[in-house]
Amino acid sequence: MAYPLSETHDAVFSIPAMPAGPKLGISLRGGALAAIDFLAASVADKPPLTESAQQVVAELLAYFANPAWKFSLPLADQGTAFQQRVWQALQKIPSGAVCSYSRLAEQLHTGARAIGNACRRNPIPIVVPCHRVVALHGLGGYSGQVTGEQLAIKSWLLAHESRH
């Protein structure tokens, strides 16, 4: 898996409950959260220097301490109108719950594949919880992958949320 470089991020930090796992790199645009990237564990930490970056890191750390945490971060406007509609629907799925691609497709009057494509293009995983969308039989994919590290991250996030 190719990881983005940390130089492009406003902060890079370890997931507290996954010390050997991937790090998170956050990117902001105009003070709003624009991207969360999973980075290799070997990538150097980068402290958040702006108030906006500090808020994003603080809220993500709050989520890792308590998966029922409700994010209140400003999100950068991006994606197509359809993607935005899917991403807004994802934010309504409560922590600890899952929804199938087909069920979400029914709710939004579209196809399951279109839902999967919008999830794959979600630039803000965790905050816009595409990990809560699963296949009818199994996990489905995560960040465009159906095996490997990405799917392990999805499994971990779902297990993390089921603990509360």
Side-chain angles (χ1 to χ4, degrees):
M1 163 180 214
Y3 291 99
L5 299 174
S6 64
E7 294 82 32
T8 62
H9 296 95
D10 293 286
V12 175
F13 62 100
S14 296
I15 299 171
M18 291 180 72
K23 291 189 178 183
L24 293 181
I26 62 160
S27 301
L28 293 102
R29 187 171 60 241
L33 180 59
I36 296 176
D37 294 304
F38 295 102
L39 306 172
S42 60
V43 172
D45 286 351
K46 182 177 184 179
L49 300 178
T50 66
E51 189 174 318
S52 297
Q54 290 168 2
Q55 179 188 3
V56 172
V57 171
E59 288 206 28
L60 283 164
L61 291 174
Y63 164 80
F64 290 120
N66 173 13
W69 175 263
K70 302 271 191 243
F71 291 101
S72 62
L73 299 166
L75 305 180
D77 188 29
Q78 54 196 336
T80 67
F82 175 76
Q83 289 169 338
Q84 289 177 19
R85 196 165 61 114
V86 172
W87 299 338
Q88 288 170 358
L90 296 176
Q91 293 176 75
K92 294 176 184 171
I93 303 170
S95 178
V98 295
C99 182
S100 70
Y101 294 98
S102 58
R103 177 75 179 121
L104 192 55
E106 284 176 23
Q107 292 174 5
L108 298 178
H109 307 289
T110 189
R113 185 165 292 183
I115 296 297
N117 285 333
C119 288
R120 177 182 13 212
R121 288 178 174 74
N122 172 17
I124 310 173
I126 302 171
V127 174
V128 177
C130 52
H131 62 276
R132 296 179 188 154
V133 182
V134 297
L136 286 175
H137 305 287
L139 288 177
Y142 193 58
S143 297
Q145 304 295 315
V146 293
T147 61
E149 292 180 52
Q150 292 297 334
L151 207 56
I153 292 168
K154 181 175 185 170
S155 293
W156 186 89
L157 289 167
L158 292 172
H160 171 66
E161 291 183 357
S162 71
R163 293 183 203 121
H164 81 279

